[in-house]
């Protein structure tokens, strides 16, 4: 949520900042801005409401902002409507200091009031401006910039990643983080700060992850990282494996389509290294042979689509492990009195590894004595670093705001974990285990088969894209699939959609079904396909149009009741959701395409939700 880039180097900053912002735009896109320090120590700022293109045009139309040190920001508004004034960077009253910020300053009103009393004049409605005005206040008092930065950090409460420029030190930028991601990149032409590694891939793959409460001073040739007490820290440098092409569209119309089509390869990368000699192996858990010792329940904690993965996991892990498993929304978890402690294992699922609610759930679980295992895509992210164990999905960068390949890889990884633990606990028969392992080997090819039916999804979407309300129904793990299908549709096409457990519809909601209502019926979960057929008949007899998803085996039984049917290959019941979601993703994609929506950057959304 919000993207930050900063550069201090030996070449002009603006092109580098704009390139970085372009790669960060998926983190927020309601306004964008840059600030550059000229060599003689003058801060030049340009910021505009709207997409990055608006900023580019505005910059092209004026005298160039010259300088080799600068900060940039792309915004997802929290405090203050998206407009030119509320866009970042924010500048102090004297114009000496500029700040870009990701996160929320919770006590900004109180600080603002006290600064107003001291005569400070504010330009914007944002919490961020409070930081820069407070910094100026302390800087004026102490004449020491670093002391002023620490004073600010002592005073503000909330989550933040920040880049700071000061005209008295035009050769440097300062970076600070707490509960929001920020990393430092080391390049040939200079050094960088960024909220997300994708912003840096074109320049460097050598990075250092900043930890909470650290402060970095970055110049063209030097990076100094200090702790909260002002002591210098020796920090590890990491090499990023992703390459720049992985974060580019590569000829596809949208990142979302590219990422859907990448799923066979992404799932293969998740599965293959974890299969050896007919066994599922998790090297990451080798030192933890007793992971399940004393564990009497599991919480799967996540947000949005990752929570839907947790719902699938709930059905699967409960059956495999024979203990209660609960899927929890991370935003509710810490307020709902979970039964934590040594006997609870908490599994946090997160693509970005930075989602604030998931992070807060993780910390609560650890604080209360539970072990935390996380399933994460972004290496070195906060959730990955703070978990006791981390399993990476290795899906590659996901840029489209609506998740696809991260969802499928999370699902397959969680299911593999369940089967692996069941094997260790001797709770799965050898025959079933071998069957699952065999099918895992070929799962990516099966996804490839589902992707071959693009024309059918396109044609069906063309028929239904004008509907203004869509219901998804399914039972058991198909209910979880329906939740995901429904979310995909509503977030990118803006069509109202709800997902129901198919048996629940008649307890009220069926009153909304009328002639022409579109119902997407998931009839994939083999044990309940016949019951689903009855539910389809129920809505059909009230005039609904039904698009069904089912397996080859049930094509006739389900297809005969539906207006359209998407058929997927049959695999072991446990793995079926990994295939079942693919037609739902493409159906949503083509509907949104027909409606002319901005698919990769849906309104009001942003990738990686780092606010509560
Ligand atoms: C929907 C979507 C979101 C994320 C959710 C969690 O398409 O992408 O619902 O799944 O915001 O994000 P992560 O997985 O980064 O924690």
């Amino acid at each position: 949520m919000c993207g930050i880039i900063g550069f201090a180097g030996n070449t002009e900053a603006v092109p580098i900042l704009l390139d970085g912002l372009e790669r960060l735009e998926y983190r927020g896109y309601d306004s964008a801005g840059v600030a550059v320090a000229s060599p003689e120590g003058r801060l030049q700022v340009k910021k505009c409401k709207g997409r990055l293109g608006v900023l580019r045009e505005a910059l092209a139309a004026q005298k160039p902002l010259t300088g080799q040190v600068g900060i940039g920001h792309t915004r997802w508004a929290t405090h203050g409507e998206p407009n030119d004034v509320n866009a970042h960077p924010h500048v102090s009253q004297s114009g000496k200091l500029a700040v870009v910020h990701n996160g929320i300053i919770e006590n900004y009103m109180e600080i603002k009031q006290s600064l107003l009393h001291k005569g400070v004049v504010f330009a914007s409605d944002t919490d961020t401006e409070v930081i820069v005005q407070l910094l100026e206040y302390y800087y004026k008092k102490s004449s020491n910039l670093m002391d002023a930065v620490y004073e600010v950090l002592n005073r503000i409460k909330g989550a933040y990643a920040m880049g700071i420029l000061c005209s008295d030190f035009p050769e440097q930028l300062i970076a600070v983080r707490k509960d929001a991601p920020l990393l430092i990149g080391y390049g040939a032409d200079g050094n960088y700060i960024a909220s997300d590694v994708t912003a840096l891939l074109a320049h460097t793959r050598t990075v250092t992850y900043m930890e909470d409460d650290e402060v970095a001073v970055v110049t063209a040739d030097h990076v100094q990282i200090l702790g909260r007490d002002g002591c210098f820290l020796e920090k590890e440098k990491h090499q990023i494996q992703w390459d720049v092409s992985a974060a580019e569209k590569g000829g596809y119309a949208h990142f979302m389509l590219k990422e859907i089509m990448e799923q066979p390869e992404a799932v293969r990368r998740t599965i293959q290294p974890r299969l050896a000699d007919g066994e599922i192996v998790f090297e990451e858990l080798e030192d933890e042979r007793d992971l399940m010792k004393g564990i009497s329940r599991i919480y799967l904690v996540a947000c949005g689509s990752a929570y839907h993965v947790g719902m699938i996991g709930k059905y699967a892990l409960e059956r495999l492990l024979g203990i209660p498993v609960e899927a929890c929304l991370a935003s509710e978890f810490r307020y709902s009195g979970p039964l934590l402690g040594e006997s609870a294992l908490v599994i946090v699922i997160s693509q970005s590894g930075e989602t604030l609610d998931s992070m807060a759930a993780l910390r609560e679980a650890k604080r209360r004595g539970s072990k935390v295992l996380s399933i994460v895509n972004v290496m070195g992210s906060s959730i990955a670093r703070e978990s006791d164990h981390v399993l990476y999905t290795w899906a590659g960068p996901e840029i489209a705001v609506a998740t696809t390949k991260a969802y499928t890889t999370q699902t397959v990884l969680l299911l593999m974990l369940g089967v692996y633990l069941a094997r260790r606990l001797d709770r799965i028969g050898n025959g079933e285990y071998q069957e699952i392992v065999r099918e895992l080997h070929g799962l990516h090819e099966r996804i490839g088969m589902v992707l071959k039916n693009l024309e059918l999804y396109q044609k069906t979407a063309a028929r239904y894209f004008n509907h203004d309300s869509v219901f998804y129904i399914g039972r058991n793990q198909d209910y979880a699939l329906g939740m995901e299908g429904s979310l995909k549709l509503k977030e990118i096409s803006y069509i109202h959609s709800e997902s129901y457990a198919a048996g629940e519809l008649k307890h009220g909601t069926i009153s909304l079904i009328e002639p022409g209502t579109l119902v997407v019926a998931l009839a994939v979960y083999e044990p309940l396909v016949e019951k689903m057929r009855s539910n389809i008949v129920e809505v059909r007899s009230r005039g609904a149009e039904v698009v069904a998803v089912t397996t080859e085996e049930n094509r006739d039984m389900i297809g005969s009741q539906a207006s359209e049917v998407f058929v997927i290959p049959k695999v072991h019941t446990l793995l079926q959701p990994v295939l079942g979601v693919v037609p739902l993703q493409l159906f949503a994609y083509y509907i949104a395409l027909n409606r002319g929506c901005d698919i990769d950057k849906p309104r009001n959304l942003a990738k990686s939700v780092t606010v509560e």
Side-chain angles (χ1 to χ4, degrees):
M1 214 140 237
C2 300
I4 290 179
I5 174 92
F7 174 67
N10 310 314
T11 178
E12 281 305 303
V14 167
I16 288 176
L17 298 177
L18 291 177
D19 175 67
L21 290 181
E22 190 160 333
R23 294 170 195 280
L24 286 174
E25 214 185 359
Y26 69 132
R27 297 187 66 112
Y29 31 85
D30 50 44
S31 56
V34 291
V36 178
S38 72
E40 63 281 3
R42 194 169 46 85
L43 294 193
Q44 312 147 83
V45 179
K46 190 73 195 172
K47 50 186 192 169
C48 307
K49 178 183 171 181
R51 297 286 164 90
L52 186 61
V54 180
L55 176 67
R56 277 190 191 279
E57 277 171 24
L59 282 166
Q62 67 171 52
K63 200 163 149 265
L65 306 192
T66 52
Q68 301 181 339
V69 180
I71 49 179
H73 189 266
T74 171
R75 179 171 187 242
W76 185 87
T78 56
H79 295 64
E81 64 173 278
N83 61 25
D84 289 357
V85 179
N86 290 334
H88 299 215
H90 287 280
V91 179
S92 64
Q93 200 169 325
S94 72
K96 258 188 180 205
L97 292 153
V99 167
V100 287
H101 165 224
N102 175 15
I104 289 181
I105 304 303
E106 283 159 8
N107 58 340
Y108 85 103
M109 275 312 284
E110 164 214 322
I111 299 172
K112 188 168 181 173
Q113 284 308 327
S114 85
L115 290 172
L116 283 169
H117 279 121
K118 292 182 169 73
V120 175
V121 178
F122 282 80
S124 77
D125 304 322
T126 64
D127 53 335
T128 303
E129 193 185 349
V130 162
I131 302 170
V132 75
Q133 302 290 17
L134 187 66
L135 184 60
E136 175 152 291
Y137 170 76
Y138 285 126
Y139 184 38
K140 272 188 186 155
K141 257 175 91 172
S142 68
S143 303
N144 182 317
L145 183 59
M146 289 308 280
D147 285 354
V149 168
Y150 280 103
E151 290 280 7
V152 169
L153 299 187
N154 287 336
R155 184 86 185 270
I156 57 177
K157 294 198 183 102
Y160 44 83
M162 283 183 232
I164 303 168
L165 268 187
C166 176
S167 58
D168 291 342
F169 303 92
E171 73 294 348
Q172 73 172 37
L173 50 97
I174 296 174
V176 179
R177 79 151 262 178
K178 183 172 172 288
D179 292 339
L182 201 60
L183 49 93
I184 292 170
Y186 306 87
D189 288 333
N191 296 313
Y192 301 80
I193 61 167
S195 50
D196 188 326
V197 72
T198 49
L200 302 183
L201 290 176
H203 307 287
T204 180
R205 288 202 245 157
T206 309
V207 302
T208 293
Y209 299 104
M210 289 184 71
E211 307 280 343
D212 279 355
D213 295 322
E214 289 178 355
V215 178
V217 180
V218 179
T219 65
D221 329 300
H222 255 93
V223 175
Q224 285 179 334
I225 304 178
L226 300 93
R228 189 63 186 254
D229 53 5
C231 285
F232 292 108
L233 302 172
E234 282 293 327
K235 298 269 301 181
E236 212 182 321
K237 288 183 181 171
H238 298 266
Q239 291 300 321
I240 303 295
Q241 303 303 324
W242 295 349
D243 67 22
V244 70
S245 65
E248 285 171 351
K249 266 193 233 162
Y252 284 95
H254 296 97
F255 277 110
M256 181 174 175
L257 184 59
K258 178 186 178 231
E259 288 159 8
I260 291 173
M261 300 309 280
E262 278 173 355
Q263 288 179 112
E265 178 54 17
V267 163
R268 197 191 62 74
R269 278 203 306 263
T270 307
I271 296 175
Q272 222 65 57
R274 293 171 169 121
L275 293 179
D277 304 327
E279 293 284 336
I280 299 174
V281 279
F282 278 98
E283 270 179 21
E284 305 92 325
L285 301 177
E286 270 310 291
D287 296 341
E288 190 64 279
R289 305 289 304 177
D290 289 333
L291 182 69
M292 292 304 289
K293 196 164 169 208
I295 297 295
S296 59
R297 68 191 156 279
I298 296 179
Y299 290 110
L300 299 163
V301 186
C303 301
S305 293
Y307 165 71
H308 300 153
V309 173
M311 286 177 71
I312 289 173
K314 181 224 155 48
Y315 294 115
L317 268 60
E318 213 160 58
R319 178 171 83 71
L320 285 164
L321 305 177
I323 56 172
V325 179
E326 216 179 302
C328 304
L329 289 166
S331 53
E332 292 288 317
F333 185 67
R334 61 195 186 283
Y335 307 118
S336 61
L339 305 174
L340 292 166
E342 281 179 9
S343 59
L345 173 67
V346 173
I347 302 180
V348 176
I349 308 163
S350 175
Q351 186 283 130
S352 62
E354 301 292 350
T355 302
L356 192 129
D357 282 317
S358 305
M359 186 71 203
L362 178 159
R363 287 182 177 163
E364 176 68 359
K366 286 186 77 172
R367 193 183 67 77
R368 292 181 48 199
S370 295
K371 243 185 209 138
V372 177
L373 181 151
S374 63
I375 291 180
V376 173
N377 191 38
V378 178
M379 300 265 300
S381 54
S382 306
I383 290 175
R385 280 178 296 131
E386 289 199 25
S387 300
D388 297 302
H389 303 283
V390 53
L391 305 179
Y392 284 110
T393 44
W394 297 322
E398 192 178 65
I399 308 291
V401 164
T403 182
T404 53
K405 64 176 179 173
Y407 172 92
T408 33
T409 53
Q410 285 163 349
T411 305
V412 82
L413 193 50
L414 183 58
L415 295 173
M416 282 179 85
L417 177 69
V419 177
Y420 165 87
L421 294 174
R423 173 77 155 178
R424 276 212 185 158
L425 297 172
D426 216 7
R427 283 197 50 91
I428 184 167
N430 198 42
E432 188 181 11
Y433 180 77
Q434 294 306 337
E435 185 193 342
I436 293 172
V437 171
R438 212 172 32 252
E439 295 208 334
L440 281 168
H441 272 292
L443 198 61
H444 64 286
E445 285 165 7
R446 300 278 187 288
I447 299 177
M449 288 162 73
V450 184
L451 291 173
K452 289 219 168 86
N453 298 330
L454 288 189
E455 255 177 51
L456 176 62
Y457 312 131
Q458 253 166 326
K459 196 183 86 197
T460 314
R463 185 165 156 198
Y464 292 112
F465 76 93
N466 268 329
H467 281 246
D468 53 15
S469 178
V470 181
F471 289 86
Y472 285 71
I473 56 171
R475 287 169 173 266
N476 196 277
Q477 57 192 35
D478 284 352
Y479 168 42
L481 262 191
M483 296 282 287
E484 177 58 9
S486 170
L487 178 60
K488 283 290 86 88
L489 182 75
K490 65 190 137 201
E491 68 181 328
I492 61 168
S493 73
Y494 317 142
I495 295 176
H496 171 254
S497 164
E498 292 186 41
S499 173
Y500 269 85
E504 181 63 16
L505 206 62
K506 57 179 130 355
H507 296 284
T509 314
I510 203 162
S511 64
L512 293 173
I513 305 291
E514 53 182 8
T517 305
L518 179 58
V519 176
V520 178
L522 287 313
V524 177
Y525 180 60
E526 188 61 37
L528 295 175
V529 166
E530 282 181 12
K531 292 206 187 302
M532 263 312 290
R533 181 180 182 277
S534 307
N535 295 131
I536 293 173
V537 173
E538 278 164 18
V539 293
R540 278 285 279 198
S541 60
R542 284 156 182 88
E545 293 268 333
V546 174
V547 173
V549 183
T550 193
T551 53
E552 196 59 66
E553 269 74 356
N554 296 309
R555 175 198 286 266
D556 293 342
M557 190 209 329
I558 295 299
S560 62
Q561 300 305 321
S563 321
E564 195 56 79
V565 61
F566 299 151
V567 178
I568 59 172
K570 171 104 181 65
V571 288
H572 188 285
T573 307
L574 197 77
L575 301 177
Q576 205 70 67
V578 183
L579 303 185
V581 75
V582 178
L584 305 181
Q585 297 168 340
L586 283 158
F587 186 53
Y589 173 80
Y590 285 118
I591 286 201
L593 196 64
N594 273 289
R595 292 166 73 93
C597 297
D598 191 347
I599 293 178
D600 283 339
K601 297 189 186 98
R603 71 180 177 215
N604 303 339
L605 291 175
K607 193 95 177 155
S608 187
V609 182
T610 50
V611 295
E612 221 179 307

